[in-house]
Amino acid sequence: MRFLLTDEQREFGRSLDALLRAADSPAVLRAWAAGDHGPGRALWGRLADAGVFALAVPEAYGGAGPLPVEAAVACVELGRHAVPGPVAETLAAGVLLAGAGGPVAEEWLPAIASGAAVVSLTLEGYGPYAPDADAADAVFTVTGDELRLAPGPGEPSASADPARRLFRPEPGGAPVAKGPAIRAAARAAGDTAAFATAALALGCGEELLRATVAYVKQRTQFGVPVGSFQAVKHRLADTLLGLEFARPLLYGAAVELASEVSRPGAGAGSAEGSSGAGAAVAAAKVAAGEAGYAAARTALQLHGAIGYTEELDLAWWLRRARPLRDAWGTPSVCRARVLAG
């Protein structure tokens, strides 16, 4: 079995990196946190043109997916550049609505694939909050075997990341789909959200490590760069090891998800699709989330007091690492799922 990315997949990642470098993501983040979603929606449209949001939408609805490996490549890059918006939730909604089928899928899936729709959602067992619901065109909620479209984003709640605001969706809203297929689709969507969040966390950790390595090469003490100190080298090496150990778990989970989708009778929202891959996704989530958070702690320690400042772009990545670690499955929940699986 081949575990290396193909040339096309690597080129896809490089193209997204170039697109996002040109987009000035720190400026987009600052605008998003201030409530100005215009620059973020414009960037969302460019990412959609590159095919990012079509990766979780079946071809029958105008998408290109489901393609979990390519989705992992994309989300790592989006995490490295701290792209704002409900990225994991929109990808998960593609899986959820594909499993639901019917008019709701026909209405929303083409819009998700094209980037015309930004979507957030809540699922039972993952907490009551929908990230960035105020910027979303739709907020879906699943309770039992009912899928509903929330009538509004609801009231905001405190968030450690000001560019990732949390909302408890307004209750009510007529069911747009119901039945046993909704439960299965919600399980698959939960796995997709956790998987995408793991990739975002890995990318966030990579950028934190890159920025920290660059900083310790420039900062001097006793006339030499602090990066030459053995203790600093060991701390950075430990951070790198954590990220590199998480990477194969992430792509292993992508292979598991792809295998379940391609298995006869399985797929997004099927009764079987998502069960076997759940433990692999949980392992990737806990490894990537913990590695990203460790990278944030290393970055803050080695940058010193400057790491706290609002003026330093690094602060946006620092504040994103822990929410990504805990979203769509805390470390304790994911470890329990791995043991159970």
Side-chain angles (χ1 to χ4, degrees), residues 100 145-148 175-182:
D145 61 358
E146 288 190 342
L147 170 64
R148 295 174 181 267
V176 292
K178 61 174 61 178
I182 300 302

Side-chain angles (χ1 to χ4, degrees), residues 307-324:
Y308 287 100
T309 63
E310 284 284 342
E311 289 77 14
L312 192 68
D313 288 340
L314 180 82
W316 296 97
W317 279 258
L318 287 172
R319 289 182 290 192
R320 178 151 293 204
R322 182 161 184 171
L324 287 175

Side-chain angles (χ1 to χ4, degrees), residues 75-158:
C75 286
V76 168
E77 293 300 328
L78 270 59
R80 285 181 59 218
H81 293 274
V83 171
V87 172
E89 292 73 24
T90 296
L91 293 172
V95 173
L96 174 66
L97 299 179
V104 66
E106 294 171 1
E107 177 181 0
W108 287 100
L109 286 178
I112 289 174
S114 69
V118 175
V119 177
S120 193
L121 80 164
T122 65
L123 301 173
E124 276 189 313
Y126 290 99
Y129 298 113
D132 297 305
D134 61 331
D137 299 295
V139 179
F140 291 100
T141 65
V142 175
T143 304
D145 61 358
E146 288 190 342
L147 170 64
R148 295 174 181 267
L149 181 61
E155 292 297 318
S157 298

